């Protein structure tokens, strides 16, 4: 779920992810999603490490152009895996089913948090939206965010420094770091941290 929360990616983007799409030095992953769109999405150092470890443990690293996410058997994960995960969660937590919590719900939750704290342009870029067939009007073409701004939002979300977050770094108490307990589910909603801005520090505190 950390991949879902950090990147707000679509389900197809995760299934299409390959080992060659990981850039450990820049902490970027290449997402290929609907409409033949491709984008570089910042991820935290922690998530990058977990993806690399997963690739090595499940045998994906041996085939860089193959699927990254795999079962223990080494077979690529399919859409049915996500259906199974959410069905299993719903059996243990009835409100998951009642409130329709899903991979798309996680995407919406992260993007809503980004929009409220960093603005519409950053949220739009974070979501991987482009201007083709844009129903929001031509005005949106004047509001664009770059990878540095996306990385800043990610840094606020995770409490971890990112190579592309150089203009302004945020201060985070240790209890605002992204952990399983951070995303405490209350009445069917994840609680996401609210960033506190500081001067141009080069690393986060905590």
């Amino acid at each position: 779920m950390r991949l879902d929360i950090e990147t707000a990616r679509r389900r197809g983007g995760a299934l299409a992810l390959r080992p060659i799409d990981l850039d450990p030095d820049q902490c970027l992953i290449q997402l290929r999603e609907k409409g033949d769109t491709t984008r570089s999405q910042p991820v935290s150092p922690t998530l990058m490490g977990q993806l690399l470890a997963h690739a090595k443990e499940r045998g994906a690293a041996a085939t860089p152009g193959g699927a990254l996410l795999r079962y223990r058997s080494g077979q690529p994960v399919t859409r049915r895996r996500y259906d199974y995960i959410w069905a299993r969660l719903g059996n243990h937590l009835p409100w998951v089913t009642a409130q329709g919590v899903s991979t798309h719900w996680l995407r919406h939750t992260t993007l809503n948090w980004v929009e409220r704290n960093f603005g519409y342009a950053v949220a739009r870029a974070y979501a991987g939206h482009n201007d083709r067939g844009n129903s929001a009007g031509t005005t949106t073409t004047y509001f664009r965010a770059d990878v540095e701004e996306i990385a800043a939002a990610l840094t606020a979300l995770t409490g971890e420094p990112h190579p592309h977050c150089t203009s302004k770094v945020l201060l985070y108490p240790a209890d605002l770091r992204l952990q399983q307990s951070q995303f405490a589910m209350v009445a069917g909603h994840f609680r996401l941290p609210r960033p506190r801005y500081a001067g141009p520090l080069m690393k986060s505190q905590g």
Side-chain angles (χ1 to χ4, degrees), residues 163-204:
H164 285 278
C165 182
T166 57
S167 59
K168 182 180 289 185
V169 178
L170 313 173
L171 293 176
Y172 318 87
D175 61 347
L176 288 186
R177 293 183 181 278
L178 177 60
Q179 301 172 350
Q180 287 185 341
S181 60
Q182 166 62 46
F183 289 92
M185 290 175 281
V186 178
H189 294 278
F190 285 96
R191 285 181 172 176
L192 298 182
R194 190 169 187 84
R196 292 191 297 113
Y197 291 91
L201 269 82
M202 293 310 296
K203 62 180 180 180
S204 58

mmCIF file of all heavy atoms in Angstrom, residues 163-204:
data_model
loop_
_atom_site.group_PDB
_atom_site.id
_atom_site.type_symbol
_atom_site.label_atom_id
_atom_site.label_comp_id
_atom_site.label_asym_id
_atom_site.label_seq_id
_atom_site.Cartn_x
_atom_site.Cartn_y
_atom_site.Cartn_z
ATOM 1 N N PRO A 163 16.145 13.649 -3.399
ATOM 2 C CA PRO A 163 17.161 14.324 -4.222
ATOM 3 C C PRO A 163 16.639 15.513 -5.013
ATOM 4 O O PRO A 163 17.390 16.452 -5.288
ATOM 5 C CB PRO A 163 17.633 13.209 -5.172
ATOM 6 C CG PRO A 163 17.363 11.949 -4.442
ATOM 7 C CD PRO A 163 16.115 12.194 -3.650
ATOM 8 N N HIS A 164 15.349 15.503 -5.371
ATOM 9 C CA HIS A 164 14.803 16.593 -6.177
ATOM 10 C C HIS A 164 14.131 17.680 -5.344
ATOM 11 O O HIS A 164 13.633 18.663 -5.893
ATOM 12 C CB HIS A 164 13.815 16.046 -7.209
ATOM 13 C CG HIS A 164 14.473 15.352 -8.353
ATOM 14 N ND1 HIS A 164 14.990 16.026 -9.441
ATOM 15 C CD2 HIS A 164 14.738 14.044 -8.560
ATOM 16 C CE1 HIS A 164 15.518 15.161 -10.287
ATOM 17 N NE2 HIS A 164 15.388 13.956 -9.782
ATOM 18 N N CYS A 165 14.103 17.506 -4.045
ATOM 19 C CA CYS A 165 13.524 18.535 -3.180
ATOM 20 C C CYS A 165 14.664 19.392 -2.648
ATOM 21 O O CYS A 165 15.230 19.115 -1.592
ATOM 22 C CB CYS A 165 12.742 17.891 -2.036
ATOM 23 S SG CYS A 165 11.951 19.092 -0.947
ATOM 24 N N THR A 166 15.001 20.453 -3.383
ATOM 25 C CA THR A 166 16.162 21.272 -3.042
ATOM 26 C C THR A 166 15.820 22.723 -2.732
ATOM 27 O O THR A 166 16.594 23.408 -2.079
ATOM 28 C CB THR A 166 17.176 21.254 -4.196
ATOM 29 O OG1 THR A 166 16.530 21.723 -5.394
ATOM 30 C CG2 THR A 166 17.702 19.841 -4.435
ATOM 31 N N SER A 167 14.673 23.202 -3.194
ATOM 32 C CA SER A 167 14.370 24.619 -3.029
ATOM 33 C C SER A 167 13.934 24.975 -1.616
ATOM 34 O O SER A 167 14.311 25.990 -1.079
ATOM 35 C CB SER A 167 13.278 25.044 -4.024
ATOM 36 O OG SER A 167 12.110 24.277 -3.813
ATOM 37 N N LYS A 168 13.133 24.111 -1.018
ATOM 38 C CA LYS A 168 12.654 24.369 0.337
ATOM 39 C C LYS A 168 12.348 23.025 0.983
ATOM 40 O O LYS A 168 11.592 22.233 0.448
ATOM 41 C CB LYS A 168 11.396 25.233 0.336
ATOM 42 C CG LYS A 168 10.884 25.566 1.732
ATOM 43 C CD LYS A 168 9.634 26.420 1.677
ATOM 44 C CE LYS A 168 9.958 27.825 1.215
ATOM 45 N NZ LYS A 168 8.773 28.711 1.278
ATOM 46 N N VAL A 169 12.951 22.796 2.116
ATOM 47 C CA VAL A 169 12.736 21.538 2.815
ATOM 48 C C VAL A 169 11.846 21.799 4.007
ATOM 49 O O VAL A 169 11.868 22.873 4.597
ATOM 50 C CB VAL A 169 14.083 20.909 3.244
ATOM 51 C CG1 VAL A 169 13.864 19.616 4.008
ATOM 52 C CG2 VAL A 169 14.933 20.658 2.012
ATOM 53 N N LEU A 170 11.061 20.825 4.385
ATOM 54 C CA LEU A 170 10.083 20.982 5.431
ATOM 55 C C LEU A 170 10.559 20.332 6.719
ATOM 56 O O LEU A 170 11.339 19.399 6.707
ATOM 57 C CB LEU A 170 8.764 20.334 4.999
ATOM 58 C CG LEU A 170 8.322 20.708 3.577
ATOM 59 C CD1 LEU A 170 7.115 19.893 3.186
ATOM 60 C CD2 LEU A 170 8.020 22.177 3.492
ATOM 61 N N LEU A 171 10.090 20.859 7.830
ATOM 62 C CA LEU A 171 10.418 20.293 9.136
ATOM 63 C C LEU A 171 9.312 19.329 9.550
ATOM 64 O O LEU A 171 8.137 19.636 9.424
ATOM 65 C CB LEU A 171 10.522 21.407 10.181
ATOM 66 C CG LEU A 171 11.679 22.391 10.015
ATOM 67 C CD1 LEU A 171 11.571 23.471 11.079
ATOM 68 C CD2 LEU A 171 13.014 21.675 10.100
ATOM 69 N N TYR A 172 9.703 18.194 10.075
ATOM 70 C CA TYR A 172 8.725 17.202 10.482
ATOM 71 C C TYR A 172 9.081 16.643 11.845
ATOM 72 O O TYR A 172 10.175 16.126 12.011
ATOM 73 C CB TYR A 172 8.698 16.016 9.503
ATOM 74 C CG TYR A 172 8.784 16.455 8.093
ATOM 75 C CD1 TYR A 172 10.021 16.657 7.495
ATOM 76 C CD2 TYR A 172 7.637 16.710 7.370
ATOM 77 C CE1 TYR A 172 10.107 17.111 6.208
ATOM 78 C CE2 TYR A 172 7.728 17.153 6.074
ATOM 79 C CZ TYR A 172 8.953 17.355 5.499
ATOM 80 O OH TYR A 172 9.043 17.809 4.231
ATOM 81 N N PRO A 173 8.180 16.698 12.778
ATOM 82 C CA PRO A 173 8.409 15.950 14.015
ATOM 83 C C PRO A 173 8.471 14.467 13.678
ATOM 84 O O PRO A 173 7.908 14.017 12.686
ATOM 85 C CB PRO A 173 7.159 16.274 14.849
ATOM 86 C CG PRO A 173 6.599 17.520 14.234
ATOM 87 C CD PRO A 173 6.936 17.453 12.785
ATOM 88 N N ALA A 174 9.140 13.693 14.499
ATOM 89 C CA ALA A 174 9.294 12.269 14.223
ATOM 90 C C ALA A 174 7.953 11.564 14.097
ATOM 91 O O ALA A 174 7.810 10.613 13.344
ATOM 92 C CB ALA A 174 10.141 11.616 15.317
ATOM 93 N N ASP A 175 6.934 12.040 14.835
ATOM 94 C CA ASP A 175 5.657 11.339 14.813
ATOM 95 C C ASP A 175 4.853 11.618 13.552
ATOM 96 O O ASP A 175 3.757 11.093 13.376
ATOM 97 C CB ASP A 175 4.813 11.704 16.042
ATOM 98 C CG ASP A 175 4.490 13.190 16.113
ATOM 99 O OD1 ASP A 175 5.115 13.964 15.372
ATOM 100 O OD2 ASP A 175 3.622 13.551 16.915
ATOM 101 N N LEU A 176 5.371 12.480 12.640
ATOM 102 C CA LEU A 176 4.680 12.729 11.385
ATOM 103 C C LEU A 176 5.285 11.942 10.234
ATOM 104 O O LEU A 176 4.903 12.117 9.091
ATOM 105 C CB LEU A 176 4.706 14.235 11.038
ATOM 106 C CG LEU A 176 3.823 15.113 11.907
ATOM 107 C CD1 LEU A 176 3.824 16.532 11.374
ATOM 108 C CD2 LEU A 176 2.399 14.580 11.961
ATOM 109 N N ARG A 177 6.244 11.083 10.519
ATOM 110 C CA ARG A 177 6.841 10.295 9.455
ATOM 111 C C ARG A 177 5.862 9.232 8.966
ATOM 112 O O ARG A 177 4.997 8.772 9.695
ATOM 113 C CB ARG A 177 8.149 9.647 9.931
ATOM 114 C CG ARG A 177 9.214 10.678 10.205
ATOM 115 C CD ARG A 177 10.521 10.017 10.597
ATOM 116 N NE ARG A 177 11.526 11.016 10.887
ATOM 117 C CZ ARG A 177 12.244 11.641 9.977
ATOM 118 N NH1 ARG A 177 12.064 11.374 8.717
ATOM 119 N NH2 ARG A 177 13.144 12.537 10.321
ATOM 120 N N LEU A 178 6.039 8.870 7.693
ATOM 121 C CA LEU A 178 5.126 7.919 7.083
ATOM 122 C C LEU A 178 5.427 6.507 7.566
ATOM 123 O O LEU A 178 6.417 5.910 7.211
ATOM 124 C CB LEU A 178 5.266 7.977 5.553
ATOM 125 C CG LEU A 178 4.428 6.994 4.735
ATOM 126 C CD1 LEU A 178 2.947 7.225 5.011
ATOM 127 C CD2 LEU A 178 4.730 7.126 3.273
ATOM 128 N N GLN A 179 4.557 5.993 8.422
ATOM 129 C CA GLN A 179 4.646 4.631 8.909
ATOM 130 C C GLN A 179 3.244 4.052 8.862
ATOM 131 O O GLN A 179 2.277 4.763 8.609
ATOM 132 C CB GLN A 179 5.196 4.594 10.343
ATOM 133 C CG GLN A 179 6.583 5.211 10.472
ATOM 134 C CD GLN A 179 6.999 5.328 11.932
ATOM 135 O OE1 GLN A 179 6.201 5.118 12.831
ATOM 136 N NE2 GLN A 179 8.244 5.676 12.145
ATOM 137 N N GLN A 180 3.121 2.777 9.117
ATOM 138 C CA GLN A 180 1.792 2.186 9.098
ATOM 139 C C GLN A 180 0.887 2.865 10.120
ATOM 140 O O GLN A 180 -0.285 3.106 9.860
ATOM 141 C CB GLN A 180 1.881 0.684 9.397
ATOM 142 C CG GLN A 180 2.459 -0.117 8.235
ATOM 143 C CD GLN A 180 2.432 -1.595 8.515
ATOM 144 O OE1 GLN A 180 2.318 -2.024 9.661
ATOM 145 N NE2 GLN A 180 2.550 -2.394 7.481
ATOM 146 N N SER A 181 1.450 3.186 11.284
ATOM 147 C CA SER A 181 0.643 3.834 12.303
ATOM 148 C C SER A 181 0.277 5.262 11.913
ATOM 149 O O SER A 181 -0.709 5.811 12.379
ATOM 150 C CB SER A 181 1.397 3.861 13.633
ATOM 151 O OG SER A 181 2.618 4.568 13.500
ATOM 152 N N GLN A 182 1.078 5.863 11.015
ATOM 153 C CA GLN A 182 0.794 7.226 10.561
ATOM 154 C C GLN A 182 -0.555 7.284 9.851
ATOM 155 O O GLN A 182 -1.326 8.218 9.994
ATOM 156 C CB GLN A 182 1.911 7.686 9.615
ATOM 157 C CG GLN A 182 1.575 8.928 8.814
ATOM 158 C CD GLN A 182 1.336 10.103 9.688
ATOM 159 O OE1 GLN A 182 2.088 10.359 10.599
ATOM 160 N NE2 GLN A 182 0.261 10.820 9.433
ATOM 161 N N PHE A 183 -0.838 6.249 9.058
ATOM 162 C CA PHE A 183 -2.082 6.227 8.317
ATOM 163 C C PHE A 183 -3.155 5.519 9.134
ATOM 164 O O PHE A 183 -3.714 4.514 8.734
ATOM 165 C CB PHE A 183 -1.864 5.550 6.960
ATOM 166 C CG PHE A 183 -1.065 6.399 6.036
ATOM 167 C CD1 PHE A 183 0.306 6.271 5.972
ATOM 168 C CD2 PHE A 183 -1.670 7.363 5.251
ATOM 169 C CE1 PHE A 183 1.051 7.073 5.145
ATOM 170 C CE2 PHE A 183 -0.927 8.173 4.411
ATOM 171 C CZ PHE A 183 0.433 8.027 4.362
ATOM 172 N N ALA A 184 -3.393 6.063 10.340
ATOM 173 C CA ALA A 184 -4.420 5.494 11.212
ATOM 174 C C ALA A 184 -5.781 5.706 10.564
ATOM 175 O O ALA A 184 -6.125 6.810 10.157
ATOM 176 C CB ALA A 184 -4.371 6.182 12.570
ATOM 177 N N MET A 185 -6.545 4.628 10.441
ATOM 178 C CA MET A 185 -7.849 4.718 9.797
ATOM 179 C C MET A 185 -8.910 5.025 10.845
ATOM 180 O O MET A 185 -9.150 4.238 11.743
ATOM 181 C CB MET A 185 -8.148 3.416 9.066
ATOM 182 C CG MET A 185 -7.271 3.230 7.843
ATOM 183 S SD MET A 185 -7.479 1.653 7.011
ATOM 184 C CE MET A 185 -6.517 0.595 8.087
ATOM 185 N N VAL A 186 -9.533 6.176 10.712
ATOM 186 C CA VAL A 186 -10.559 6.600 11.652
ATOM 187 C C VAL A 186 -11.819 6.914 10.849
ATOM 188 O O VAL A 186 -11.824 7.783 9.982
ATOM 189 C CB VAL A 186 -10.126 7.849 12.445
ATOM 190 C CG1 VAL A 186 -11.244 8.283 13.389
ATOM 191 C CG2 VAL A 186 -8.849 7.560 13.220
ATOM 192 N N ALA A 187 -12.874 6.195 11.131
ATOM 193 C CA ALA A 187 -14.149 6.364 10.444
ATOM 194 C C ALA A 187 -13.975 6.264 8.931
ATOM 195 O O ALA A 187 -14.618 6.975 8.159
ATOM 196 C CB ALA A 187 -14.785 7.709 10.813
ATOM 197 N N GLY A 188 -13.087 5.384 8.522
ATOM 198 C CA GLY A 188 -12.932 5.138 7.096
ATOM 199 C C GLY A 188 -12.043 6.116 6.381
ATOM 200 O O GLY A 188 -12.058 6.188 5.158
ATOM 201 N N HIS A 189 -11.239 6.892 7.097
ATOM 202 C CA HIS A 189 -10.376 7.881 6.466
ATOM 203 C C HIS A 189 -8.962 7.774 7.002
ATOM 204 O O HIS A 189 -8.746 7.514 8.179
ATOM 205 C CB HIS A 189 -10.896 9.305 6.704
ATOM 206 C CG HIS A 189 -12.204 9.556 6.031
ATOM 207 N ND1 HIS A 189 -12.310 9.881 4.697
ATOM 208 C CD2 HIS A 189 -13.462 9.484 6.496
ATOM 209 C CE1 HIS A 189 -13.591 10.021 4.382
ATOM 210 N NE2 HIS A 189 -14.305 9.781 5.458
ATOM 211 N N PHE A 190 -7.978 7.997 6.111
ATOM 212 C CA PHE A 190 -6.589 8.049 6.532
ATOM 213 C C PHE A 190 -6.286 9.465 7.009
ATOM 214 O O PHE A 190 -6.728 10.435 6.419
ATOM 215 C CB PHE A 190 -5.648 7.717 5.372
ATOM 216 C CG PHE A 190 -5.606 6.274 5.015
ATOM 217 C CD1 PHE A 190 -6.392 5.792 3.985
ATOM 218 C CD2 PHE A 190 -4.791 5.400 5.699
ATOM 219 C CE1 PHE A 190 -6.369 4.465 3.641
ATOM 220 C CE2 PHE A 190 -4.755 4.061 5.360
ATOM 221 C CZ PHE A 190 -5.544 3.593 4.327
ATOM 222 N N ARG A 191 -5.502 9.554 8.061
ATOM 223 C CA ARG A 191 -5.057 10.854 8.538
ATOM 224 C C ARG A 191 -3.680 11.140 7.945
ATOM 225 O O ARG A 191 -2.713 10.447 8.252
ATOM 226 C CB ARG A 191 -4.978 10.860 10.069
ATOM 227 C CG ARG A 191 -6.332 10.924 10.751
ATOM 228 C CD ARG A 191 -6.153 10.950 12.255
ATOM 229 N NE ARG A 191 -7.396 11.204 12.940
ATOM 230 C CZ ARG A 191 -7.526 11.210 14.255
ATOM 231 N NH1 ARG A 191 -6.467 10.961 15.005
ATOM 232 N NH2 ARG A 191 -8.689 11.460 14.819
ATOM 233 N N LEU A 192 -3.586 12.130 7.115
ATOM 234 C CA LEU A 192 -2.319 12.482 6.501
ATOM 235 C C LEU A 192 -1.738 13.694 7.206
ATOM 236 O O LEU A 192 -2.473 14.560 7.693
ATOM 237 C CB LEU A 192 -2.513 12.780 5.016
ATOM 238 C CG LEU A 192 -3.037 11.608 4.180
ATOM 239 C CD1 LEU A 192 -3.132 12.014 2.722
ATOM 240 C CD2 LEU A 192 -2.168 10.389 4.331
ATOM 241 N N PRO A 193 -0.409 13.792 7.284
ATOM 242 C CA PRO A 193 0.217 14.880 8.043
ATOM 243 C C PRO A 193 0.028 16.231 7.383
ATOM 244 O O PRO A 193 -0.097 16.338 6.169
ATOM 245 C CB PRO A 193 1.700 14.491 8.049
ATOM 246 C CG PRO A 193 1.864 13.670 6.822
ATOM 247 C CD PRO A 193 0.582 12.905 6.673
ATOM 248 N N ARG A 194 0.013 17.260 8.183
ATOM 249 C CA ARG A 194 -0.038 18.625 7.676
ATOM 250 C C ARG A 194 1.375 19.204 7.785
ATOM 251 O O ARG A 194 1.951 19.237 8.868
ATOM 252 C CB ARG A 194 -1.012 19.473 8.485
ATOM 253 C CG ARG A 194 -1.273 20.836 7.840
ATOM 254 C CD ARG A 194 -2.434 21.545 8.524
ATOM 255 N NE ARG A 194 -2.793 22.770 7.827
ATOM 256 C CZ ARG A 194 -3.591 22.819 6.783
ATOM 257 N NH1 ARG A 194 -4.099 21.706 6.321
ATOM 258 N NH2 ARG A 194 -3.876 23.965 6.197
ATOM 259 N N PRO A 195 1.958 19.646 6.662
ATOM 260 C CA PRO A 195 3.355 20.080 6.685
ATOM 261 C C PRO A 195 3.550 21.402 7.410
ATOM 262 O O PRO A 195 2.663 22.251 7.440
ATOM 263 C CB PRO A 195 3.701 20.235 5.206
ATOM 264 C CG PRO A 195 2.393 20.549 4.566
ATOM 265 C CD PRO A 195 1.360 19.771 5.324
ATOM 266 N N ARG A 196 4.725 21.567 8.021
ATOM 267 C CA ARG A 196 5.135 22.833 8.602
ATOM 268 C C ARG A 196 6.351 23.308 7.825
ATOM 269 O O ARG A 196 7.356 22.610 7.726
ATOM 270 C CB ARG A 196 5.509 22.663 10.084
ATOM 271 C CG ARG A 196 4.333 22.334 10.959
ATOM 272 C CD ARG A 196 4.692 22.448 12.424
ATOM 273 N NE ARG A 196 5.707 21.498 12.822
ATOM 274 C CZ ARG A 196 6.937 21.840 13.192
ATOM 275 N NH1 ARG A 196 7.306 23.109 13.174
ATOM 276 N NH2 ARG A 196 7.809 20.924 13.569
ATOM 277 N N TYR A 197 6.276 24.487 7.239
ATOM 278 C CA TYR A 197 7.339 24.982 6.394
ATOM 279 C C TYR A 197 8.452 25.622 7.219
ATOM 280 O O TYR A 197 8.220 26.249 8.230
ATOM 281 C CB TYR A 197 6.796 26.007 5.393
ATOM 282 C CG TYR A 197 5.912 25.371 4.370
ATOM 283 C CD1 TYR A 197 4.542 25.277 4.587
ATOM 284 C CD2 TYR A 197 6.440 24.816 3.220
ATOM 285 C CE1 TYR A 197 3.715 24.672 3.666
ATOM 286 C CE2 TYR A 197 5.626 24.210 2.292
ATOM 287 C CZ TYR A 197 4.265 24.143 2.522
ATOM 288 O OH TYR A 197 3.453 23.538 1.611
ATOM 289 N N ALA A 198 9.655 25.437 6.753
ATOM 290 C CA ALA A 198 10.816 26.036 7.389
ATOM 291 C C ALA A 198 11.653 26.721 6.327
ATOM 292 O O ALA A 198 11.283 26.767 5.161
ATOM 293 C CB ALA A 198 11.632 24.965 8.095
ATOM 294 N N GLY A 199 12.785 27.215 6.735
ATOM 295 C CA GLY A 199 13.699 27.828 5.792
ATOM 296 C C GLY A 199 14.395 26.774 4.963
ATOM 297 O O GLY A 199 14.069 25.599 5.014
ATOM 298 N N PRO A 200 15.389 27.168 4.198
ATOM 299 C CA PRO A 200 16.060 26.243 3.283
ATOM 300 C C PRO A 200 17.026 25.303 3.994
ATOM 301 O O PRO A 200 18.245 25.432 3.889
ATOM 302 C CB PRO A 200 16.801 27.186 2.331
ATOM 303 C CG PRO A 200 17.093 28.390 3.162
ATOM 304 C CD PRO A 200 15.888 28.551 4.066
ATOM 305 N N LEU A 201 16.459 24.364 4.783
ATOM 306 C CA LEU A 201 17.282 23.324 5.375
ATOM 307 C C LEU A 201 17.616 22.302 4.295
ATOM 308 O O LEU A 201 16.877 22.142 3.335
ATOM 309 C CB LEU A 201 16.571 22.622 6.532
ATOM 310 C CG LEU A 201 16.795 23.216 7.919
ATOM 311 C CD1 LEU A 201 15.865 24.392 8.136
ATOM 312 C CD2 LEU A 201 16.543 22.145 8.967
ATOM 313 N N MET A 202 18.666 21.547 4.508
ATOM 314 C CA MET A 202 19.046 20.539 3.538
ATOM 315 C C MET A 202 18.605 19.147 3.950
ATOM 316 O O MET A 202 18.729 18.204 3.226
ATOM 317 C CB MET A 202 20.565 20.541 3.325
ATOM 318 C CG MET A 202 21.067 21.812 2.668
ATOM 319 S SD MET A 202 20.148 22.244 1.170
ATOM 320 C CE MET A 202 20.553 20.860 0.123
ATOM 321 N N LYS A 203 18.055 19.008 5.147
ATOM 322 C CA LYS A 203 17.533 17.708 5.536
ATOM 323 C C LYS A 203 16.426 17.930 6.560
ATOM 324 O O LYS A 203 16.348 18.974 7.197
ATOM 325 C CB LYS A 203 18.633 16.811 6.117
ATOM 326 C CG LYS A 203 19.282 17.372 7.386
ATOM 327 C CD LYS A 203 20.356 16.402 7.884
ATOM 328 C CE LYS A 203 21.020 16.954 9.155
ATOM 329 N NZ LYS A 203 22.052 16.036 9.638
ATOM 330 N N SER A 204 15.586 16.914 6.684
ATOM 331 C CA SER A 204 14.492 17.014 7.632
ATOM 332 C C SER A 204 14.966 16.656 9.021
ATOM 333 O O SER A 204 15.988 16.014 9.203
ATOM 334 C CB SER A 204 13.346 16.054 7.203
ATOM 335 O OG SER A 204 13.832 14.743 7.139
#
